[in-house]
Amino acid sequence: QVQLVESGGGLVQAGGSLRLSCAASGSIFGIDAMGWYRQAPGKQRDFVAHFIKPGRTDYAESVKGRFTISWDNTKNSVYLQMDSLKPEDTALYYCTAVMRGSGFQYWGQGTQVTVSS
């Protein structure tokens, strides 16, 4: 079992920045990848970015050049630095962890990001 707790969401004006954090606990040694998804009201949950061990990162086209994902092994945490935020980035952001072998995916409870125009 892996538990994920997100933090760092909030309200920011367009053009501003936020940094999301996700702390993992439990069976962390089995985690092969961690990442972020987001879901806006009335829309499906979409991929934002992920970090696959030992160091591959991928981003959705809509956030490339603006968002940066990083992973701190010493703190069992993954971060999402979000710069140049746009109103269309407004969503509930979920942290996810994928287990080695099984591919089972754990989810956090989500943290709200709201970008005002």
Side-chain angles (χ1 to χ4, degrees):
Q1 290 280 347
V2 172
Q3 294 76 44
L4 303 171
V5 178
E6 303 103 330
S7 61
L11 173 64
V12 64
Q13 288 189 331
S17 298
L18 281 174
R19 185 179 187 235
L20 304 184
S21 300
C22 174
S25 60
S27 302
I28 58 174
F29 295 106
I31 297 175
D32 196 39
M34 293 188 72
W36 295 90
Y37 283 68
R38 66 186 181 186
Q39 187 168 20
K43 295 188 176 182
Q44 66 181 20
R45 189 175 298 186
D46 291 328
F47 168 78
V48 175
H50 65 201
F51 187 110
I52 303 173
K53 287 183 176 180
R56 170 183 167 179
T57 58
D58 295 296
Y59 297 90
E61 284 296 325
S62 59
V63 306
K64 277 184 180 178
R66 300 188 299 121
F67 291 10
T68 304
I69 190 170
S70 59
W71 190 347
D72 186 338
N73 268 325
T74 64
K75 297 182 178 180
N76 304 319
S77 295
V78 66
Y79 306 95
L80 186 68
Q81 178 66 39
M82 305 186 295
D83 299 317
S84 303
L85 282 161
K86 305 175 181 180
E88 50 264 44
D89 294 318
T90 294
L92 190 59
Y93 283 69
Y94 294 92
C95 176
T96 182
V98 179
M99 306 307 290
R100 188 179 307 115
S102 68
F104 187 82
Q105 193 167 15
Y106 289 93
W107 296 90
Q109 294 297 308
T111 185
Q112 179 67 38
V113 171
T114 303
V115 184
S116 63
S117 57

